[in-house]
Amino acid sequence: EDIPRLGEKGIARLKESLDNVNVFASRLKSYESDGIGVTTYLDHDYPEILRKIDDPPPVLYYKGDIDAWDQEYIAMVGTTRPTQAGIRLAVDLARELVRRGFGIISGLALGIDGAAHLGAIKENGRTIAVLGCGIMEIYPAENVPLAESIMKKGLIISEYSPYKPVGKSRLVLRNRLISALSRAVIVVETNVDTRGELRTAGYALKQARPLFYGVPDGTLNDETIGEYPGVIINDVDSVDEILKYLV
């Protein structure tokens, strides 16, 4: 009753949950049999970096190589309608960052996200995919094979229960985790018609992560970026410039 904003409904739900502990215990065993790990804010293996943001997820579900938590990551995101130049830049940047000792974190979306994951895999590096759905409901379906490749050495993670379907608000909220789990955020390519990738840029600024923009097609401008200013990078040779900001 002393917890702010919990309210009578929240208290009632907590009491109901306590009455169903056996149900949750059974569910956890089922997740374990599917290879799904679960960690909560109160557990020692919860990513420490997430405790420092305003809205850390109380529960994280993950699948893959648990050692991937120990890596430092650079976030790479971008439009789902990339140019060929954008895809090449994403792959090349990911490969070079892996060579420099970093992993790549992104959102498993079509386009730039998928290219960034693939670039890390090609260089035998680690990569993490943050989902806006449950781990057993991979979205988009076209990237199920990519998710399986990621899990061999990296992780897929979600704050949603394993069978939760994708939702627009969930896709937006997962961007805060992509930024929070990274040392820096690179928006590899934007699209003036969608600009959803700029939500991650917004979280980067809020969470004090260095923010960079790629210009693979030469069309990036202040109107596209809007209120999310960052450092412009032109090609893979800009990796040295990116690393200067990682203090």
Side-chain angles (χ1 to χ4, degrees), residues 11-246:
I11 293 171
R13 288 183 63 191
L14 282 174
K15 289 180 177 179
E16 182 181 347
S17 296
L18 291 173
D19 291 336
N20 292 281
V21 168
N22 291 337
V23 175
F24 292 112
S26 175
R27 194 173 296 171
L28 286 173
K29 287 183 179 179
S30 174
Y31 294 159
E32 185 177 2
S33 67
D34 288 330
I36 300 170
V38 183
T39 185
T40 78
Y41 186 88
L42 301 177
D43 293 327
H44 72 279
D45 59 349
Y46 186 89
E48 192 63 30
I49 196 170
L50 290 183
R51 300 183 195 275
K52 300 175 182 178
I53 64 175
D54 292 338
D55 49 355
V59 181
L60 274 180
Y61 302 87
Y62 59 89
K63 195 171 184 180
D65 185 351
I66 190 63
D67 290 337
W69 283 130
D70 299 329
Q71 183 88 23
E72 287 192 326
Y73 289 87
I74 303 294
M76 293 180 60
V77 298
T79 177
T80 57
R81 304 175 189 174
T83 62
Q84 286 300 313
I87 291 174
R88 285 196 301 271
L89 180 58
V91 171
D92 290 345
L93 279 173
R95 297 186 73 167
E96 183 61 25
L97 287 166
V98 167
R99 293 186 192 111
R100 302 296 187 95
F102 294 91
I104 302 299
I105 185 166
S106 194
L108 199 68
L110 296 175
I112 295 299
D113 287 23
H117 289 304
L118 281 172
I121 292 170
K122 284 179 175 292
E123 203 59 33
N124 198 32
R126 294 191 187 280
T127 183
I128 291 178
V130 185
L131 307 182
C133 55
I135 284 175
M136 304 301 286
E137 296 287 339
I138 297 293
Y139 175 87
E142 297 95 317
N143 276 350
V144 169
L146 176 58
E148 292 172 349
S149 295
I150 289 171
M151 288 185 284
K152 292 178 181 177
K153 194 173 180 180
L155 287 167
I156 59 172
I157 68 173
S158 176
E159 62 184 308
Y160 305 109
S161 57
Y163 292 94
K164 182 75 72 174
V166 71
K168 184 175 181 180
S169 63
R170 296 175 193 131
L171 289 172
V172 172
L173 286 173
R174 61 93 186 267
N175 292 325
R176 83 189 193 285
L177 303 185
I178 292 174
S179 171
L181 289 166
S182 73
R183 292 287 310 280
V185 173
I186 304 172
V187 180
V188 178
E189 185 175 26
T190 60
N191 185 302
V192 294
D193 295 325
T194 56
R195 293 196 285 187
E197 57 274 4
L198 293 184
R199 295 183 184 277
T200 311
Y203 282 118
L205 294 177
K206 182 179 179 181
Q207 297 168 350
R209 302 294 190 266
L211 175 62
F212 303 88
Y213 289 95
V215 195
D217 60 357
T219 62
L220 189 68
N221 55 48
D222 292 339
E223 182 180 352
T224 303
I225 295 174
E227 68 266 37
Y228 308 125
V231 178
I232 303 299
I233 59 174
N234 295 309
D235 51 39
V236 71
D237 293 335
S238 300
V239 166
D240 287 330
E241 181 72 11
I242 294 169
L243 298 185
K244 290 179 183 177
Y245 286 83
L246 305 186

